[in-house]
């Protein structure tokens, strides 16, 4: 390690000598970075010298994670790491839009993104329209002269419908509108939005990328340097900065991301077929299955890797749903996704509880509907636990 030549009176002014370097990224919780002279600090602010100043403006652990995700996404400009997926969504919607603008969102976006569209943006004088991201015609219909941005997810939650990204990218390009894609479910392992016309890519790193349900982190990157700058400045001003420790944990999680994703999505695909063969299961949703309405589009956009999410509907309504979660021992009934362990979510009692029964019915979300985020368990053990719990729910 290099000798720290200018310490403080309070702290040690040298670090232990070492001719060798640590193999893993050091955790750097320092909020402030000391400069030698005002001239050097000036040069850093001007960008003539690379250096950290104050950690809200950037720190090594965020940059390490940011460059990892940049490479995975093929980001044309360095992305920004934020304190959560929602802070990345906030940076896009609040950092890029102004009063009088109009924004279009997919009508099956993540719950909090929907809420921001419905409650917060209108309060700031930004008009919003929510439409089916699988129907380019419907999206085109709601475009206005002041429409600035379209925000979509590739695979919707929890019904796993696939957005018409190619159609939307063409529409956005023709009409000079920004296309922002939240790639949390599909991840760059299955889909690369920048290669498919997106101007902005968003992640909840909390989910599959970090993968262990022990950090909250977000990421946003833009195609152009101008957009990337605006996002970065807004994130710094609004204080969306991530904690170094969360970045450090996420880096560790991301080292195994490709392996985890491939294994989980392979098991998910098989689990979908197993579930479809069980008595008591009314319906199974997985984008590669023959009965999925967007099968062709999923194959076109995602190739051979779909996602680790499977949704299914139990016969017997809420009563069967309660019996199922009680019997599904070892599977966490918890509102997250992308963990190393399989988790179950019940949209009618959680993510979609604010909708009326009629609205839920229109989306196909009944009281027996579950979304499964498949983890890394032994597949045969997992299939058996599901078969036993589905059977228990029918008695
Ligand atoms: C979880 C999630 C978010 C929000 O991310 P947080 O890290 O929980 O703030 C945004 N979009 C999608 C698709 C998500 O699943």
């Amino acid at each position: 390690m290099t000798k720290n030549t200018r310490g403080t009176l309070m702290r040690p002014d040298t670090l232990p000598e070492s001719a060798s370097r640590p193999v893993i990224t050091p955790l750097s919780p320092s909020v402030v970075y000391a400069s030698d002279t005002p001239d050097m600090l000036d040069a850093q602010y001007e960008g003539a010298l690379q250096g950290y100043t104050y950690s809200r403006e950037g720190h090594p652990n965020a940059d390490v994670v940011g460059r990892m995700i940049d490479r995975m996404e093929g980001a044309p400009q360095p992305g920004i790491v934020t304190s959560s997926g929602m802070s990345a969504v906030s940076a896009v919607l609040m950092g890029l839009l102004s009063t009088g603008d109009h924004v279009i969102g997919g009508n099956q976006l993540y719950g909090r993104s929907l809420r921001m569209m419905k409650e917060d943006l209108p309060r700031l004088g930004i008009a919003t329209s929510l439409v089916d991201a699988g129907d380019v015609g419907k999206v085109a219909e709601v475009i206005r002269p002041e429409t600035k941005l379209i925000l979509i997810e590739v695979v919707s939650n929890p019904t796993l419908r696939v957005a018409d990204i190619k159609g939307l990218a063409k529409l956005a390009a023709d009409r000079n509108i920004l296309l922002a894609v939240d790639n949390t479910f599909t991840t760059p392992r299955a889909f690369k939005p920048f290669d498919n016309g997106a101007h902005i890519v968003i992640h909840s790193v909390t989910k599959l990328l970090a993968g262990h349900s022990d950090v909250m982190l977000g990421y946003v990157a833009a195609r152009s340097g101008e957009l990337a700058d605006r996002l970065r400045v807004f994130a710094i001003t609004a204080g969306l900065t991530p904690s170094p420790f969360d970045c450090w944990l996420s880096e560790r999680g991301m080292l195994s991301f490709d392996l985890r994703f491939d294994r989980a999505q392979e098991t998910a695909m098989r689990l979908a077929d197993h579930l479809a063969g069980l008595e008591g299961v009314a319906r199974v949703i997985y984008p590669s299955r023959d009965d999925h309405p967007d099968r062709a589009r999923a194959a076109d956009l995602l190739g051979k890797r779909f996602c680790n999410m499977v949704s299914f509907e139990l016969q017997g309504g809420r009563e069967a749903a309660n019996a199922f979660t009680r019997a599904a021992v070892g599977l966490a009934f918890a509102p997250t996704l992308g963990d190393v362990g399989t988790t179950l979510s019940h949209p009618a009692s959680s993510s979609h509880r604010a909708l009326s029964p009629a609205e839920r019915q229109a989306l196909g979300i009944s009281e027996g509907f579950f979304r499964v985020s498949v983890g890394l368990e032994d597949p045969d053990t997992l299939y058996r636990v599901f078969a036993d719990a589905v059977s228990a729910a029918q008695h």
Side-chain angles (χ1 to χ4, degrees), residues 84-86 110 113 153 182 184-185 204 206-207 216-217 337:
S84 66
M86 278 317 297
Y110 181 69
S113 302
E153 289 165 23
D182 179 337
T184 300
F185 270 39
S204 169
T206 311
K207 311 292 171 51
M216 302 214 82
L217 208 74
L337 65 104

Side-chain angles (χ1 to χ4, degrees), residues 95-239:
L96 300 181
L97 299 171
S98 304
T99 302
D101 287 346
H102 173 244
V103 53
I104 300 171
N107 61 2
Q108 290 195 53
L109 288 174
Y110 181 69
R112 286 282 157 187
S113 302
L114 275 182
R115 192 188 150 92
M116 189 169 285
M117 290 270 192
K118 286 184 188 163
E119 310 285 334
D120 298 291
L121 296 184
R123 186 169 47 74
L124 302 174
I126 298 164
T128 63
S129 303
L130 297 170
V131 288
D132 179 356
D135 188 337
V136 176
K138 286 227 176 79
V139 175
E141 264 171 37
V142 299
I143 291 178
R144 312 172 186 174
E146 58 275 18
T147 305
K148 292 283 159 49
L149 185 134
I150 301 171
L151 172 64
I152 52 161
E153 289 165 23
V154 186
V155 172
S156 75
N157 175 37
T159 58
L160 311 183
R161 295 301 301 263
V162 183
D164 184 355
I165 306 252
K166 288 188 177 167
L168 290 171
K170 183 169 186 312
L171 179 70
D174 288 350
R175 306 293 290 268
N176 202 20
I177 297 169
L178 297 174
L179 179 65
V181 175
D182 179 337
N183 201 26
T184 300
F185 270 39
T186 26
T187 82
R189 191 83 179 141
F191 186 70
K192 293 212 166 60
F194 283 125
D195 292 346
N196 286 272
H199 302 93
I200 295 164
V201 174
I202 298 168
H203 273 285
S204 169
V205 180
T206 311
K207 311 292 171 51
L208 286 132
L209 292 182
H212 293 70
S213 295
D214 51 9
V215 284
M216 302 214 82
L217 208 74
Y219 167 91
V220 56
R223 178 178 295 283
S224 79
E226 190 254 342
L227 280 178
D229 271 352
R230 284 167 62 196
L231 287 166
R232 193 176 52 79
V233 171
F234 180 81
I236 293 170
T237 305

Side-chain angles (χ1 to χ4, degrees), residues 12-350:
D13 65 355
T14 55
L15 295 172
E17 291 276 357
S18 175
S20 51
R21 289 167 289 121
V23 171
I24 67 157
T25 306
L27 174 62
S28 303
S30 192
V31 164
V32 280
Y33 291 80
S35 304
D36 280 351
T37 61
D39 275 356
M40 286 183 77
L41 184 58
D42 234 9
Q44 279 179 227
Y45 277 120
E46 294 298 321
L49 278 180
Q50 162 57 30
Y52 298 102
T53 52
Y54 188 62
S55 69
R56 180 161 29 73
E57 317 226 338
H59 54 75
N61 293 107
D63 284 341
V64 167
V65 169
R67 299 305 73 78
M68 282 172 86
I69 307 177
D70 291 347
R71 280 194 294 278
M72 291 158 92
E73 283 290 1
Q77 305 288 334
I80 298 132
V81 178
T82 61
S83 54
S84 66
M86 278 317 297
S87 56
V89 172
S90 304
V92 170
L93 295 177
M94 298 194 177
L96 300 181
L97 299 171
S98 304
T99 302
D101 287 346
H102 173 244
V103 53
I104 300 171
N107 61 2
Q108 290 195 53
L109 288 174
Y110 181 69
R112 286 282 157 187
S113 302
L114 275 182
R115 192 188 150 92
M116 189 169 285
M117 290 270 192
K118 286 184 188 163
E119 310 285 334
D120 298 291
L121 296 184
R123 186 169 47 74
L124 302 174
I126 298 164
T128 63
S129 303
L130 297 170
V131 288
D132 179 356
D135 188 337
V136 176
K138 286 227 176 79
V139 175
E141 264 171 37
V142 299
I143 291 178
R144 312 172 186 174
E146 58 275 18
T147 305
K148 292 283 159 49
L149 185 134
I150 301 171
L151 172 64
I152 52 161
E153 289 165 23
V154 186
V155 172
S156 75
N157 175 37
T159 58
L160 311 183
R161 295 301 301 263
V162 183
D164 184 355
I165 306 252
K166 288 188 177 167
L168 290 171
K170 183 169 186 312
L171 179 70
D174 288 350
R175 306 293 290 268
N176 202 20
I177 297 169
L178 297 174
L179 179 65
V181 175
D182 179 337
N183 201 26
T184 300
F185 270 39
T186 26
T187 82
R189 191 83 179 141
F191 186 70
K192 293 212 166 60
F194 283 125
D195 292 346
N196 286 272
H199 302 93
I200 295 164
V201 174
I202 298 168
H203 273 285
S204 169
V205 180
T206 311
K207 311 292 171 51
L208 286 132
L209 292 182
H212 293 70
S213 295
D214 51 9
V215 284
M216 302 214 82
L217 208 74
Y219 167 91
V220 56
R223 178 178 295 283
S224 79
E226 190 254 342
L227 280 178
D229 271 352
R230 284 167 62 196
L231 287 166
R232 193 176 52 79
V233 171
F234 180 81
I236 293 170
T237 305
L240 309 182
T241 318
S243 130
F245 185 55
D246 287 350
C247 295
W248 188 84
L249 274 179
S250 297
E251 179 196 346
R252 186 166 84 158
M254 281 165 49
L255 296 174
S256 62
F257 163 71
D258 283 2
L259 293 172
R260 285 187 287 103
F261 185 82
D262 290 2
R263 158 79 175 234
Q265 83 91 29
E266 177 88 30
T267 307
M269 194 178 325
R270 298 246 167 86
L271 175 67
D273 292 338
H274 277 271
L275 286 170
L278 296 178
E279 199 181 318
V281 171
R283 182 164 73 111
V284 176
I285 308 174
Y286 192 76
S288 68
R289 281 180 54 81
D290 286 344
D291 57 358
H292 193 286
D294 305 323
R295 183 177 195 272
R297 186 183 292 155
D300 178 40
L301 291 176
L302 307 176
K304 287 199 182 67
R305 295 196 182 91
F306 295 88
C307 57
N308 76 317
M309 313 289 285
V310 180
S311 293
F312 70 100
E313 199 176 355
L314 276 178
Q315 285 162 9
R318 175 64 71 96
E319 206 184 317
N322 286 333
F324 174 76
T325 55
R326 268 198 296 266
V329 178
L331 305 183
F333 173 46
T336 190
L337 65 104
D339 185 49
V340 290
T342 296
T343 52
L344 302 171
S345 118
H346 181 254
S349 65
S350 58

